[in-house]
Amino acid sequence: MIRLPEKLPAQEYPKSLHRLIDSVCGRDRPRFQDYDSFWSLTEWMEVIDTLTSVFKTAVGRNLSDEEVIRSLTGLGSSYQDVILKCLEGRKEEIRQILVEKTNTISSAQLQDFDWQLKLALSSDKISSLQTPLLNLDLDVKENGTLKPVSIEMNREELHSLINTLEAANKVVLQLK
């Protein structure tokens, strides 16, 4: 962790942290003009980026106080305590904003699904087919409208879908 936040007087620190959390939550970002007597523009950007990352990571990964303090090594204990107090007081607000931002990645949401397993006995080209098929019906809500989606998959396509979903699940579990 950089030592740049310590250039700011201790009495100004809580106020500046809350303004930074406000910007994480979608409100106005702190202005450089208010802090140009403490930091250069490069230092200012580094402080903003580092502390924003600390807040988002601490809340997004649900880090304990000890883990947050480990990410703040090099920073004085009084500054670490102020960061922890601000984080504790605004943790739920930050979590809510992070969830909302994640949800806006895609406007489509799966509402319901239904599946049927069928055995195709023949086709117009082959008299004896004997192929299992899966019919998957999805009810997807997109922009407030429920839209039905039907998919028919053979065994290989189903295995491919299952492997893709398992890989996605592993990624999600690593993020927790």
Side-chain angles (χ1 to χ4, degrees):
M1 176 72 186
I2 55 175
R3 295 190 65 83
L4 292 175
E6 293 180 347
K7 286 186 170 184
L8 190 65
Q11 66 272 15
E12 290 287 320
Y13 206 55
K15 178 182 159 189
S16 66
L17 288 174
H18 282 290
R19 288 184 68 194
L20 183 58
I21 292 172
D22 285 344
S23 75
V24 168
C25 295
R27 293 186 280 282
D28 290 336
R29 190 175 184 159
R31 299 177 326 158
F32 171 67
Q33 293 84 352
D34 297 336
Y35 300 95
D36 62 354
S37 60
F38 305 108
W39 296 300
S40 69
L41 182 58
T42 305
E43 291 172 333
W44 165 252
M45 294 304 294
E46 191 175 345
V47 167
I48 294 294
D49 291 343
T50 302
L51 290 175
T52 298
S53 176
V54 166
F55 289 134
K56 287 181 176 181
T57 302
V59 173
R61 293 187 179 168
N62 200 22
L63 299 180
S64 66
D65 288 351
E66 294 79 25
E67 291 171 314
V68 173
I69 288 175
R70 274 197 299 269
S71 72
L72 299 171
T73 55
L75 196 58
S77 64
S78 61
Y79 286 91
Q80 290 175 351
D81 291 342
V82 173
I83 289 173
L84 286 175
K85 285 179 186 175
C86 290
L87 186 60
E88 190 60 38
R90 310 267 313 261
K91 187 178 276 188
E92 192 53 40
E93 185 180 1
I94 296 169
R95 181 180 319 288
Q96 199 170 15
I97 289 300
L98 292 177
V99 168
E100 285 176 21
K101 285 183 179 180
T102 302
N103 285 342
T104 60
I105 291 173
S106 173
S107 61
Q109 296 176 340
L110 179 64
Q111 295 296 304
D112 196 11
F113 69 95
D114 188 23
W115 62 275
Q116 295 176 333
L117 186 58
K118 297 181 179 182
L119 184 61
L121 299 175
S122 65
S123 73
D124 60 344
K125 296 184 175 133
I126 301 173
S127 64
S128 179
L129 193 57
Q130 304 265 337
T131 303
L133 297 172
L134 176 79
N135 279 356
L136 182 60
D137 295 321
L138 306 172
D139 292 331
V140 178
K141 189 174 186 178
E142 189 169 16
N143 299 326
T145 308
L146 201 59
K147 179 177 154 185
V149 177
S150 293
I151 305 168
E152 185 176 86
M153 293 179 274
N154 62 26
R155 181 175 288 165
E156 292 78 26
E157 292 167 331
L158 179 59
H159 284 299
S160 176
L161 174 65
I162 291 170
N163 289 336
T164 302
L165 292 173
E166 285 176 346
N169 187 42
K170 285 181 185 176
V171 170
V172 169
L173 291 175
Q174 288 176 350
L175 294 175
K176 288 185 178 182

